[in-house]
């Protein structure tokens, strides 16, 4: 079975997280992207960081497979992409569709928002994210608002 065809064997929040492919050669590039984020990414990051959305942590500019996603929440298998103006050109739209297909084949859910939506309709974007988080909690059988910690709190 090819890694992109892997699906869950057990409920992830109860047993373990399966391996998400990771291209180590993208690590430095992802750091550069974090240093050079768009305004929309910065604004959304302010709302996602430190467990502000139902207590879940998100990674920013996370390498997954041969791509870098804008935001990733491991416990929920949730990816959020902020699409700027360049994503609306045909060649980039085709690349985005391929990226989305690969991301979804890994069992991850993907939310797409535009840079403009984040900048000018942030409350609506955040509400859509909270709604998706609650859907994912229900889908995965996670108690609503239950935070999954890697390490028990002190």
């Amino acid at each position: 079975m090819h890694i992109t065809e892997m699906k869950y064997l057990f409920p992830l929040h109860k047993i373990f997280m399966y391996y998400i492919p990771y291209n180590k050669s993208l690590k430095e590039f992802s750091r550069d992207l974090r240093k050079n984020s768009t305004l929309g990414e910065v604004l959304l990051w302010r709302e996602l960081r430190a467990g502000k959305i139902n207590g879940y942590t998100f990674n920013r500019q996370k390498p997954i497979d041969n791509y870098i996603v804008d935001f990733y929440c491991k416990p929920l298998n949730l990816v959020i992409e902020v699409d700027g103006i360049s994503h609306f050109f045909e060649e980039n739209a085709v690349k985005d569709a391929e990226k989305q297909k690969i991301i979804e084949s890994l069992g991850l859910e993907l939310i797409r928002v535009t840079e403009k939506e984040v900048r000018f309709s942030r409350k609506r974007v955040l509400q859509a994210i909270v709604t998706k988080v609650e859907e994912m909690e229900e889908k995965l059988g996670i108690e609503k608002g239950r935070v999954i910690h890697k390490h028990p709190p002190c």
Side-chain angles (χ1 to χ4, degrees), residues 95-150:
K95 289 177 185 176
D96 283 345
E98 179 63 25
K99 178 179 180 177
Q100 183 165 343
K101 181 179 172 186
I102 297 295
I103 295 297
E104 290 174 345
S105 77
L106 295 170
L108 304 175
E109 295 276 336
L110 185 118
I111 299 174
R112 286 193 175 280
V113 296
T114 66
E115 174 87 11
K116 186 176 179 180
E117 288 171 324
V118 174
R119 291 173 71 177
F120 302 109
S121 302
R122 198 161 35 263
K123 284 184 182 182
R124 191 176 315 144
V125 168
L126 292 172
Q127 185 53 56
I129 292 170
V130 168
T131 299
K132 186 59 154 178
V133 164
E134 291 170 352
E135 286 175 16
M136 295 303 295
E137 286 176 329
E138 187 174 324
K139 178 180 177 180
L140 295 171
I142 300 171
E143 237 177 86
K144 189 173 182 177
R146 180 177 166 265
V147 181
I148 300 172
H149 295 281
K150 288 184 181 176

Side-chain angles (χ1 to χ4, degrees), residues 43-61:
L43 293 171
L44 189 54
W45 177 239
R46 286 181 184 169
E47 304 296 336
L48 295 175
R49 65 189 302 264
K52 291 180 181 178
I53 303 289
N54 290 21
Y56 292 99
T57 57
F58 284 79
N59 297 103
R60 185 168 62 132
Q61 302 300 342

